[in-house]
Amino acid sequence: MSLAKRIIPCLDVDNGRVVKGVKFVDIRDAGDPVEVARRYDKEGADEITFLDITASSDDRDTIVHVVEHVAEEVFIPLTVGGGIRKLEDVRTMLNAGADKVAINTAAVFNPDFVKEASDRVGSQCIVVAIDAKQISADGEPLRWEIFTHGGRKPTGLDAVEWARKMVEYGAGEILLTSMDRDGTRMGFDIALTHTIAEAVSVPVIASGGVGNLEHLAEGVLQGMADAVLAASIFHFAEFSVHDAKAYMAGRGIEVRL
Amino acid sequence: MSMIAVVDYGMGNLRSVDKALEHVAQSGQHVHITSKAEDIVSADRVVFPGQGAARDCMRELTERHLIEPVLQAAREKPFLGICMGLQVLMSRSEENDGVDCMGLYQGEVRFFGKELNKDQSIEPLKIPHMGWNNVTQTISHPLWHGIKQGSRFYFVHSYYVDPVNEAIVAGETSYDIVFTSAVACDNVFAVQFHPEKSAVDGLQLLKNFTLWDGQ
């Protein structure tokens, strides 16, 4: 009897379709987001995250409609990220039926935006998404840096310091993606996950690299993550969310079954 | 036509509450998001949600002249408080250096951080308390109908209510400490978790509310 570790399927949405790329290239179509969300809900997902990767801002309305439709029939927490740059974007998503928004690049360019948003809608609605890459060489003490633009642009920001700063600014949760692992199916960057989870007082969602069910368990047991996020292993029906939960329960992890 | 009023005071995501209620409402029931005192007074049932900081909630309620109508509804008709809508029913909250609340029930709203993480030998617990946790039903109540003992509901909060009168406790949850996660008294039922985001069991609770006569 205690708080369950969460399993969060993530849907990368491009122009209203679910896609999943390997290291942000080779994008494969994985279906209609409303249908996919419905399936995850039935399988027992604890939350669902939508990342809008639509390149053109003109097509942003598509994700709003997706969220509206999903929120009409799926009654679990919904998070939306991608292109959240101003307070109006936050409000639009919450009004469409999202419970939380994930702020990524905009936080890097304007940290005060996180403060402003959490002041206005409450920290519980604000997730700060952090994309980190290891920059220390072999044998050096581990260090990670924040990257933007899908892992292409370094920012000079240290990941641990940045995570702490974002919590101070009002982030209610950290969505932590390893850019070294994202799309590789090699498992989470456990050292990164553990380091950030220990450094901040708010829940940390581990992301990037899940290729099998043991990886999910590792994120919790070794990475100390409060929640684990995965995309491709669920999209192509390799494993259901229920399979993942049953596996984690078998590893002694408290889950909602 | 009977009306379920969802009180809008600018705090929190009413859209979710509205959609979930629409999903379970009985035929002839109409769900209406409103910030008008007369709607709250004339509604058949009132849902009082809320998110954010206690200070902001109390300020918005005061500025919109909603304290009296909400209290009146809580005295006379089926009334469901959710999250902050439970907390502001108490006398006072520790949040924002102390905020006087509506005072329907005696008791404080306390911060988790004071009690949590005293034991340095174990991994510290995170605040907010966020995610799916078990609710132990401490009384039988029409709103628990069809929901299994110990079912999990979705929580997201950093403060919890500590009512003076233990007789109003309807549910308890453990997060290092055991805290009150549901309160029931006469025609009022109020919960710390989010039934509108708690999948099947949450919808069942909301459906029970749409059928409840407040007895």
Side-chain angles (χ1 to χ4, degrees):
Chain A
M1 298 279 279
S2 64
L3 186 65
K5 300 296 178 184
R6 288 168 282 153
I7 296 189
I8 309 176
C10 175
L11 284 65
D12 288 353
V13 180
D14 184 12
N15 261 310
R17 296 291 291 177
V18 180
V19 293
K20 182 62 195 174
V22 175
K23 291 232 181 192
F24 283 82
V25 292
D26 181 26
I27 285 171
R28 295 165 74 184
D29 188 284
D32 169 40
V34 181
E35 262 170 49
V36 176
R38 208 185 284 143
R39 185 177 91 221
Y40 291 156
D41 176 39
K42 286 218 176 73
E43 291 175 1
D46 296 313
E47 297 186 29
I48 297 175
T49 292
F50 298 90
L51 288 182
D52 184 22
I53 59 168
T54 309
S56 148
S57 55
D58 297 345
D59 299 325
R60 281 277 150 63
D61 286 351
T62 322
I63 190 75
V64 177
H65 297 310
V66 167
V67 173
E68 276 174 352
H69 282 132
V70 173
E72 264 159 32
E73 41 185 315
V74 171
F75 299 101
I76 57 174
L78 306 175
T79 302
V80 184
I84 307 286
R85 296 200 174 85
K86 46 193 192 299
L87 203 55
E88 193 194 322
D89 301 330
V90 174
R91 284 197 194 287
T92 302
M93 290 307 173
L94 296 182
N95 285 335
D99 300 281
K100 313 180 203 179
V101 293
I103 303 174
N104 190 341
T105 312
V108 173
F109 292 120
N110 178 17
D112 284 331
F113 173 47
V114 173
K115 223 181 229 172
E116 187 192 7
S118 65
D119 269 353
R120 295 299 281 274
V121 298
S123 289
Q124 80 284 345
C125 298
I126 304 298
V127 182
V128 170
I130 291 180
D131 294 343
K133 225 181 208 179
Q134 188 180 326
I135 49 161
S136 49
D138 286 350
E140 278 179 9
L142 288 167
R143 277 197 311 124
W144 297 268
E145 185 176 328
I146 303 299
F147 278 69
T148 60
H149 299 82
R152 291 189 304 274
K153 289 198 182 167
T155 63
L157 296 164
D158 175 76
V160 175
E161 281 169 27
W162 178 247
R164 285 203 179 114
K165 180 173 174 179
M166 287 298 94
V167 173
E168 214 177 283
Y169 276 40
E173 202 172 23
I174 300 288
L175 167 54
L176 176 66
T177 303
S178 160
M179 299 317 287
D180 298 310
R181 296 300 179 90
D182 197 42
T184 64
R185 303 172 64 90
M186 289 165 60
F188 295 122
D189 181 338
I190 294 295
L192 168 68
T193 308
H194 192 207
T195 303
I196 301 290
E198 218 169 36
V200 298
S201 57
V202 301
V204 171
I205 305 166
S207 156
V210 175
N212 61 44
L213 300 182
E214 178 58 22
H215 291 153
L216 295 174
E218 280 171 8
V220 171
L221 296 172
Q222 293 161 36
M224 308 309 291
D226 302 279
V228 286
L229 180 138
S232 57
I233 65 160
F234 297 131
H235 290 341
F236 301 104
E238 268 171 84
F239 301 102
S240 70
V241 177
H242 184 80
D243 294 338
K245 287 189 158 184
Y247 183 87
M248 285 171 81
R251 297 283 273 112
I253 299 167
E254 185 100 17
V255 291
R256 178 178 73 107
L257 281 169
Chain B
M1 203 67 177
S2 112
M3 187 181 41
I4 302 174
V6 178
V7 183
D8 174 12
Y9 53 107
M11 300 299 295
N13 107 38
L14 301 166
R15 189 82 190 202
S16 298
V17 177
D18 177 50
K19 281 181 171 173
L21 281 167
E22 299 268 7
H23 196 76
V24 298
Q26 310 300 307
S27 71
Q29 274 182 336
H30 170 63
V31 184
H32 182 51
I33 298 180
T34 183
S35 51
K36 288 191 187 130
E38 59 265 34
D39 289 345
I40 297 165
V41 172
S42 68
D44 302 277
R45 288 180 173 73
V46 170
V47 177
F48 185 47
Q51 276 184 335
R55 175 198 54 204
D56 298 338
C57 285
M58 286 308 295
R59 190 195 56 229
E60 291 297 325
L61 285 165
T62 307
E63 280 177 5
R64 293 166 194 235
H65 306 288
L66 288 176
I67 300 225
E68 261 321 303
V70 169
L71 279 174
Q72 192 186 328
R75 285 188 202 104
E76 59 192 29
K77 61 185 102 191
F79 184 99
L80 178 64
I82 298 173
C83 194
M84 192 47 84
L86 160 64
Q87 295 187 5
V88 294
L89 297 179
M90 307 305 291
S91 347
R92 192 174 169 280
S93 172
E94 280 181 358
E95 201 172 357
N96 312 121
D97 301 319
V99 176
D100 285 330
C101 297
M102 295 168 74
L104 185 66
Y105 304 119
Q106 268 190 29
E108 291 258 324
V109 182
R110 302 186 192 282
F111 183 52
F112 269 124
K114 283 197 182 158
E115 298 294 330
L116 292 189
N117 307 331
K118 273 185 186 159
D119 185 353
Q120 300 284 317
S121 65
I122 57 166
E123 195 69 23
L125 289 168
K126 296 300 178 88
I127 298 170
H129 171 227
M130 184 188 285
W132 299 77
N133 206 338
N134 308 96
V135 175
T136 303
Q137 300 164 20
T138 55
I139 57 164
S140 68
H141 192 281
L143 265 69
W144 292 136
H145 173 79
I147 298 168
K148 274 196 201 135
Q149 179 61 283
S151 290
R152 289 185 186 273
F153 289 89
Y154 186 80
F155 288 83
V156 49
H157 62 126
S158 303
Y159 292 78
Y160 64 94
V161 299
D162 185 10
V164 170
N165 179 6
E166 285 178 17
I168 67 171
V169 176
E172 288 179 338
T173 295
S174 166
Y175 192 55
D176 202 14
I177 57 160
V178 173
F179 68 93
T180 299
S181 51
V183 155
C185 183
D186 302 325
N187 55 302
V188 173
F189 198 87
V191 293
Q192 181 58 64
F193 51 84
H194 289 272
E196 76 280 10
K197 286 288 152 188
S198 296
V200 178
D201 288 322
L203 292 175
Q204 179 67 42
L205 190 143
L206 293 176
K207 185 180 170 199
N208 293 341
F209 178 71
T210 66
L211 294 166
W212 185 40
D213 61 3
Q215 301 289 309

